[in-house]
């Protein structure tokens, strides 16, 4: 199975019979949870640079010591100065091209050609459009998690939106140590100390860290196993912590060596629409030969909210471990920043 960057033609894009399946998973959990493209949570912008938050802060709390005599004179003013954090939208742009000859040969089948079977793609253009939209969604999911910020001051410089792992205000470098309950406890406490609020909090992780997390929490003394003798297995989907309930999400687009803690209450996609066209629209390109050619164009970025609301654990060990490993670690194995 080899895709091509050429126009879809009779011999480079053969027709087959049989039920269609994607050999590449198309689920985008993070994008879905924050509302998806064009969802009700999506924000709109007419400027590629947008604010993710405007912040002010109080001094440390203290007990005033003001005498009656001192109260006769007004104190020195204290002014709250605001700052702003920002991100950018970036362009997602794809082309679809199907030759006239390819469209005219919809009845030509390759592979097993049994009597009565038919082409499983009645419209090549519709099929290619749907797959291209899936590709864009996968790219957005990857970018919203892993994206590295890049601003642009010229038309020949690509803008890149900042993803969640880079936006997370509290960072813990595991230094290739295995995930442990101590790590999770430490970074939860550090994030809370940095003013994280845990309103709608999720942990996103890939398969290795999900298995390790389930092994860690299922090995805690008092963990209740199913009463039945015909069922077994563990799938930890929520954790009750001192700072609130944390939900667990398995996401293929997370690095296998990292865990993201994100408060979805402050996160939203930011869409930049093209006037009179909308966002992520398909339009015909100028004719240059015997093919239908379209482009899909859209601009989107991530409003990740205040950085202190999120955390990340990076550089975790990815080697498999025994299922009975409790995952208990010590503070000196990791480095909180």
């Amino acid at each position: 199975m080899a895709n091509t960057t050429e126009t879809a033609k009779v011999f480079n894009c053969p027709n087959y019979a049989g039920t269609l399946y994607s050999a590449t998973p198309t689920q985008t959990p993070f994008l879905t949870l924050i509302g998806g493209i064009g969802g009700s949570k999506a924000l709109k912008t007419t400027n590629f640079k947008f604010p993710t938050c405007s912040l002010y802060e109080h001094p440390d709390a203290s007990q005033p010591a003001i005498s009656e005599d001192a109260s006769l004179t007004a104190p020195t003013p204290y002014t709250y100065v605001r700052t702003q954090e920002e991100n950018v939208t970036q362009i997602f742009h794809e082309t679809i091209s199907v030759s006239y000859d390819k469209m005219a040969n919809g009845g030509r089948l390759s592979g097993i050609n049994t009597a009565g079977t038919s082409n499983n793609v009645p419209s090549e253009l519709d099929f290619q459009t749907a797959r291209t939209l899936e590709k864009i969604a996968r790219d957005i999911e990857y970018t919203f998690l892993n994206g590295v910020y890049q601003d642009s001051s010229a038309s020949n410089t690509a803008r890149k939106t900042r993803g969640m792992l880079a936006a997370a205000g509290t960072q813990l470098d595991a230094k290739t140590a295995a995930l442990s309950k101590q790590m999770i406890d430490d970074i939860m406490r550090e994030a809370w100390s940095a003013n994280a609020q845990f309103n709608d909090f999720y942990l996103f992780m890939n398969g290795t860290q999900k298995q390790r997390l389930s092994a860690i929490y299922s090995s805690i003394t008092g963990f209740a196993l199913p009463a039945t003798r015909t069922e077994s297995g563990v799938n930890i989907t929520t954790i009750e912590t001192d700072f609130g309930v944390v939900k667990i999400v398995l996401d293929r687009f997370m690095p296998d060596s990292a865990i993201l803690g994100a408060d979805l209450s402050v996160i939203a996609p930011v869409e930049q629409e093209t006037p009179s066209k909308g966002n992520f629209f398909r339009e015909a390109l100028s004719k240059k030969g015997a093919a239908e050619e379209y482009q899909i164009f859209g601009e989107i970025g991530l409003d990740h909210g205040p950085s202190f609301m999120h955390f990340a654990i990076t550089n975790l060990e990815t080697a498999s471990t025994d299922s009975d490993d409790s995952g208990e670690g010590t503070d000196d194995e990791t480095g909180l920043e």
Side-chain angles (χ1 to χ4, degrees):
M1 185 187 304
N3 295 328
T4 178
T5 57
E6 298 179 343
T7 296
K9 295 177 285 190
V10 172
F11 293 102
N12 70 1
C13 188
N15 300 320
Y16 294 101
T19 304
L20 276 169
Y21 296 95
S22 173
T24 308
T26 58
Q27 297 90 344
T28 53
F30 181 80
L31 181 60
T32 299
L33 282 168
I34 64 172
I37 301 171
S40 59
K41 285 188 66 177
L43 306 176
K44 305 297 182 183
T45 183
T46 56
N47 182 351
F48 69 77
K49 186 174 288 187
F50 57 88
T52 59
C53 63
S54 184
L55 299 173
Y56 67 90
E57 61 182 4
H58 289 284
D60 292 339
S62 61
Q63 182 180 12
I66 304 169
S67 68
E68 181 181 3
D69 288 345
S71 70
L72 300 178
T73 301
T76 301
Y78 188 91
T79 301
Y80 291 87
V81 178
R82 298 172 300 281
T83 59
Q84 188 181 70
E85 295 181 358
E86 63 189 34
N87 207 352
V88 294
T89 62
Q90 68 172 72
I91 294 171
F92 292 82
H93 193 193
E94 301 287 342
T95 295
I96 301 163
S97 180
V98 182
S99 75
Y100 289 170
D101 196 31
K102 168 63 179 171
M103 292 189 290
N105 279 278
R108 177 185 173 85
L109 298 183
S110 298
I112 299 173
N113 192 357
T114 305
T117 58
S118 61
N119 182 359
N120 57 20
V121 176
S123 169
E124 190 65 46
L125 181 59
D126 289 347
F127 175 82
Q128 296 298 333
T129 299
R131 303 294 77 76
T132 300
L133 290 171
E134 288 175 351
K135 177 187 184 301
I136 290 172
R138 283 167 48 86
D139 288 346
I140 293 173
E141 177 85 357
Y142 177 89
T143 300
F144 279 7
L145 292 172
N146 301 281
V148 178
Y149 178 79
Q150 180 171 290
D151 197 1
S152 173
S153 59
S155 59
N156 62 352
T157 302
R159 304 188 306 270
K160 297 181 180 180
T161 202
R162 182 185 299 106
M164 289 302 305
L165 287 170
T170 302
Q171 298 273 343
L172 188 156
D173 183 352
K175 301 177 182 177
T176 70
L179 178 67
S180 68
K181 185 176 182 299
Q182 186 67 56
M183 279 189 205
I184 297 171
D185 290 346
D186 286 349
I187 199 166
M188 290 285 289
R189 184 181 65 254
E190 291 294 325
W192 182 82
S193 297
N195 300 322
Q197 298 173 20
F198 301 100
N199 295 318
D200 186 20
F201 209 79
Y202 288 76
L203 293 183
F204 293 85
M205 63 197 71
N206 210 314
T208 298
Q209 305 309 327
K210 177 62 174 69
Q211 285 188 319
R212 194 180 296 275
L213 181 137
S214 289
I216 289 169
Y217 281 92
S218 64
S219 66
I220 295 174
T221 301
F223 181 84
L225 292 173
T228 176
R229 300 298 185 187
T230 59
E231 296 178 7
S232 186
V234 173
N235 177 21
I236 302 297
T237 57
T238 59
I239 303 173
E240 184 75 44
T241 77
D242 293 309
F243 310 104
V245 174
V246 175
K247 286 155 275 192
I248 314 301
V249 178
L250 188 60
D251 194 314
R252 297 176 186 272
F253 295 91
M254 280 291 297
D256 214 21
S257 60
I259 289 178
L260 167 69
D263 193 330
L264 300 194
S265 69
V266 298
I267 300 173
V270 179
E271 298 194 41
Q272 189 169 7
E273 296 183 344
T274 301
S276 76
K277 294 181 182 293
N279 202 25
F280 292 103
F281 55 89
R282 188 184 78 172
E283 69 175 0
L285 294 172
S286 299
K287 286 289 182 185
K288 60 183 180 182
E292 290 282 2
E293 292 197 330
Y294 290 81
Q295 65 178 352
I296 295 178
F297 181 87
E299 297 182 76
I300 195 169
L302 179 66
D303 182 350
H304 48 68
S307 295
F308 62 77
M309 299 286 277
H310 320 294
F311 68 69
I313 305 175
T314 58
N315 295 321
L316 287 161
E317 181 188 72
T318 58
S320 60
T321 59
D322 294 335
S323 60
D324 62 352
D325 182 5
S326 66
E328 294 299 328
T330 58
D331 289 341
D332 61 0
E333 290 179 333
T334 60
L336 279 163
E337 298 178 3

